[in-house]
């Protein structure tokens, strides 16, 4: 899958706990994205990165933070998980002006 | 604001027929469009893309049409097969100013024998 790995693939966590999802790429692509996918909403952009330490907010960034300390890793953190953050999270990578490739997704359940 | 939408949430077609999935976008500055296919339990997979300086692009059994005048995008699948059953998303991007890739809600394509 275009050298992109998400971890963990599944996670169940309790409300109020911090959670970090990891996206790792081996393609040396500049751009990395975090999306969440919910029924009836399609894919919504949470945050994206256009380089090491360069990130920006997407459509639904509240309650999420990201970090990119090196090209290959893009971390998504839920500082204090809420039930509304139960979702499937997808990471994507892209070069300049070309299509994005997606990971297999992380299913997060907040109970 | 930026938005990408789809006219039909579910499309049912008979095997062998042609399928047409439509998408409307609202940002006239968008200059790059992509169609993705997502099968159950998997991440979206790239199908075909088109840039704003084109109005048609063909791939293997798929054709994307872009009408900038009415901000409309369509995906045509020829001789639809059971393996084409999936959810299809269109996405738009504004280059080089902004590399955010914004998706619509998706259309489910169901192929019946």
């Amino acid at each position: 899958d275009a050298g992109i790995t998400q971890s963990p693939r599944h996670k169940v966590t309790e409300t109020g706990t911090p959670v970090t999802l990891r996206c790792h790429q081996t393609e040396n692509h500049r751009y990395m994205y975090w999306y969440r996918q919910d029924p009836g909403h399609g894919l919504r952009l949470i945050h994206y990165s256009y380089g090491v330490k360069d990130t920006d907010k997407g459509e639904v960034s509240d309650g999420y933070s990201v970090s990119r300390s090196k090209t290959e890793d893009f971390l998504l953190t839920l500082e204090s998980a809420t039930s509304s953050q139960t979702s499937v999270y997808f990471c994507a990578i892209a070069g300049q002006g070309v299509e994005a490739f997606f990971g297999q997704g992380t299913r997060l359940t907040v109970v | 604001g930026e938005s990408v939408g789809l006219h039909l949430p579910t499309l049912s077609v008979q095997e062998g027929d042609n399928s047409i999935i439509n998408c409307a976008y609202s940002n006239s500055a968008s200059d790059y469009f992509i169609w993705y296919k997502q099968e159950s339990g998997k991440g979206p997979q790239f199908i075909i893309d088109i840039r704003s300086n084109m109005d048609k692009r063909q791939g293997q059994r798929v054709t994307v049409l872009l009408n900038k005048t009415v901000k409309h995008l369509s995906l045509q699948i020829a001789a639809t097969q059971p393996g084409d059953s999936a959810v299809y998303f269109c996405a738009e991007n504004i280059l080089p100013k902004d590399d955010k890739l914004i998706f619509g809600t998706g259309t489910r394509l169901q192929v019946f024998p």
Side-chain angles (χ1 to χ4, degrees):
Chain A
D1 290 317
I4 178 171
T5 305
Q6 291 184 231
S7 59
R9 293 292 312 280
H10 302 272
K11 186 170 181 66
V12 179
T13 192
E14 293 185 349
T15 299
T17 60
V19 177
T20 295
L21 309 183
R22 181 182 184 233
C23 179
H24 178 78
Q25 62 149 328
T26 58
E27 304 296 321
N28 200 37
H29 280 332
R30 177 181 177 186
Y31 298 94
M32 299 186 76
Y33 307 83
W34 275 108
Y35 291 87
R36 60 178 288 174
Q37 186 171 36
D38 305 289
H41 290 279
L43 287 149
R44 292 184 292 176
L45 182 64
I46 305 172
H47 282 280
Y48 69 108
S49 170
Y50 45 95
V52 173
K53 296 185 180 179
D54 290 324
T55 64
D56 204 352
K57 296 179 179 180
E59 309 163 83
V60 290
S61 59
D62 288 347
Y64 301 94
S65 63
V66 290
S67 66
R68 191 166 178 203
S69 60
K70 46 187 178 177
T71 300
E72 55 266 35
D73 289 325
F74 192 33
L75 304 180
L76 176 70
T77 297
L78 290 65
E79 300 291 346
S80 179
T82 66
S83 58
S84 64
Q85 294 176 311
T86 293
S87 187
V88 179
Y89 291 85
F90 285 100
C91 176
I93 61 174
Q96 175 80 39
V98 295
E99 73 273 17
F101 296 96
F102 284 79
Q104 290 289 73
T106 295
R107 183 172 295 278
L108 176 67
T109 303
V110 183
V111 298
Chain B
E2 301 169 3
S3 68
V4 176
L6 295 172
H7 297 309
L8 300 174
T10 303
L11 177 64
S12 297
V13 298
Q14 191 165 23
E15 183 177 354
D17 287 352
N18 296 333
S19 302
I20 300 176
I21 301 172
N22 296 302
C23 176
Y25 64 95
S26 62
N27 197 325
S28 57
S30 295
D31 56 7
Y32 180 51
F33 305 88
I34 310 171
W35 280 101
Y36 285 91
K37 173 185 179 183
Q38 186 177 26
E39 296 174 292
S40 181
K42 297 183 178 179
Q45 292 179 293
F46 170 83
I47 301 173
I48 191 167
D49 59 2
I50 189 167
R51 301 194 186 276
S52 59
N53 61 351
M54 304 171 68
D55 53 19
K56 181 179 180 179
R57 191 167 188 217
Q58 288 184 294
Q60 186 178 11
R61 280 200 310 118
V62 294
T63 300
V64 56
L65 299 177
L66 176 63
N67 185 330
K68 294 181 287 294
T69 301
V70 295
K71 289 183 280 189
H72 185 267
L73 192 69
S74 69
L75 177 70
Q76 300 178 0
I77 304 174
T80 312
Q81 303 170 358
D84 294 327
S85 294
V87 177
Y88 290 81
F89 295 94
C90 65
E92 65 178 308
N93 201 341
I94 305 169
L95 302 170
K97 173 179 175 291
D98 186 349
D99 266 284
K100 289 190 291 186
L101 195 60
I102 304 299
F103 284 78
T105 54
T107 293
R108 181 173 300 281
L109 177 65
Q110 297 176 326
V111 182
F112 57 93

